[in-house]
Amino acid sequence: MRILVVEDDVNLNRQLADTLKEAGYVVDQAFDGEEGHFLGDTEPYDAIILDIGLPEMDGVTVLEKWRGAGRGMPVLILTARDRWSDKVAGIDAGADDYVTKPFHVEEVLARIRALIRRAAGHASSEIVCGPIRLDTKSSKATVNGTALKLTSHEYRLLAYLMHHMGEVVSRTELVEHMYDQDFDRDSNTIEVFVGRLRKKMGVDLIETVRGLGYRIQAPKHAN
């Protein structure tokens, strides 16, 4: 899962980015509205954290431009405690949720998890596919109750496929959501990670759809 943090406070931006990375997310950072707008308009993000009070271009304008261009990714806005009008303006502009400064980063994490789950049609913090159970709160996965020991890339791959369970996901899409903008992306590595993941899972749930990509879905008898 790939997140964009748009916040001009360098320390807060870094704190959010570090916390998100520790939780298993891929993170890009922007420090003003123009840079944030450009990234959000040209890169595929699973969610965006957007400060309202940004230099160059304010957060509401950035959000209005994204929504006007048809960009539908979940957006969590950050607002000042005494500026209730910012909350209203942000929600009206298309924000999905907001957090008031100062805040605990754990709250931001919880809200981002919820936004990503809802965007993919999942209500619970746990996503289940046959014997595989993904706990988005703890960033852990199990198979038949046994913990899977996954690398960060393997977990990101599994998490993305399970959030989009039943859908065919292309290699390009997986690459775009598993690596940040500065990473030397190579779609061929996806096949390697899929192979490792299948071996560790020990169950045949990830299907290769020739010429299109991969799909994870529970066996038809697993209901």
Side-chain angles (χ1 to χ4, degrees):
M1 295 294 167
R2 189 175 173 197
I3 309 293
L4 172 64
V5 178
V6 190
E7 166 63 62
D8 63 314
D9 184 315
V10 175
N11 290 330
L12 179 56
N13 193 316
R14 184 184 300 114
Q15 182 184 15
L16 287 168
D18 289 347
T19 301
L20 288 162
K21 290 174 184 177
E22 288 175 4
Y25 295 99
V26 176
V27 184
D28 290 333
Q29 297 169 263
F31 298 90
D32 63 64
E34 287 188 354
E35 181 185 17
H37 170 259
F38 174 77
L39 289 175
D41 200 42
T42 57
E43 296 286 336
Y45 293 104
D46 296 290
I48 294 179
I49 298 173
L50 176 68
D51 184 33
I52 290 295
L54 293 168
E56 307 301 334
M57 186 188 302
D58 68 88
V60 171
T61 300
V62 170
L63 185 51
E64 287 175 339
K65 285 180 175 290
W66 284 337
R67 297 309 191 219
R71 304 290 287 172
M73 62 281 183
V75 175
L76 173 70
I77 57 172
L78 306 178
T79 70
R81 171 169 292 182
D82 57 349
R83 293 292 298 274
W84 63 266
S85 59
D86 284 346
K87 302 171 188 176
V88 174
I91 296 296
D92 285 344
D96 299 273
D97 200 356
Y98 70 85
V99 172
T100 302
K101 296 179 181 180
F103 51 77
H104 293 289
V105 291
E106 289 79 9
E107 179 183 2
V108 174
L109 273 178
R111 291 181 180 272
I112 284 294
R113 287 195 300 266
L115 289 178
I116 292 175
R117 287 199 314 268
R118 289 200 294 267
H122 301 286
S124 172
S125 62
E126 288 191 334
I127 303 175
V128 179
C129 181
I132 303 296
R133 186 177 297 270
L134 183 80
D135 186 340
T136 61
K137 184 177 180 180
S138 64
S139 300
K140 304 292 184 183
T142 59
V143 56
N144 291 318
T146 301
L148 285 171
K149 295 181 180 180
L150 305 177
T151 66
S152 59
H153 286 97
E154 290 165 354
Y155 175 80
R156 291 169 190 162
L157 173 61
L158 178 61
Y160 194 82
L161 288 174
M162 289 192 67
H163 273 83
H164 299 273
M165 195 171 6
E167 302 175 17
V168 177
V169 181
S170 70
R171 291 185 182 185
T172 299
E173 183 176 347
L174 287 169
V175 168
E176 289 176 337
H177 289 265
M178 286 178 61
Y179 303 113
D180 61 41
Q181 63 177 131
D182 297 324
F183 196 89
D184 184 15
R185 303 169 182 175
D186 180 1
S187 64
N188 292 325
T189 61
I190 296 299
E191 185 175 353
V192 175
F193 289 132
V194 169
R196 291 178 183 173
L197 194 53
R198 282 172 170 157
K199 185 175 182 180
K200 289 185 177 183
M201 289 166 56
V203 290
D204 189 19
L205 298 180
I206 301 177
E207 173 190 3
T208 299
V209 182
R210 185 175 295 276
L212 296 176
Y214 301 96
R215 172 173 54 206
I216 190 170
Q217 55 188 355
K220 293 182 179 179
H221 57 77
N223 280 328

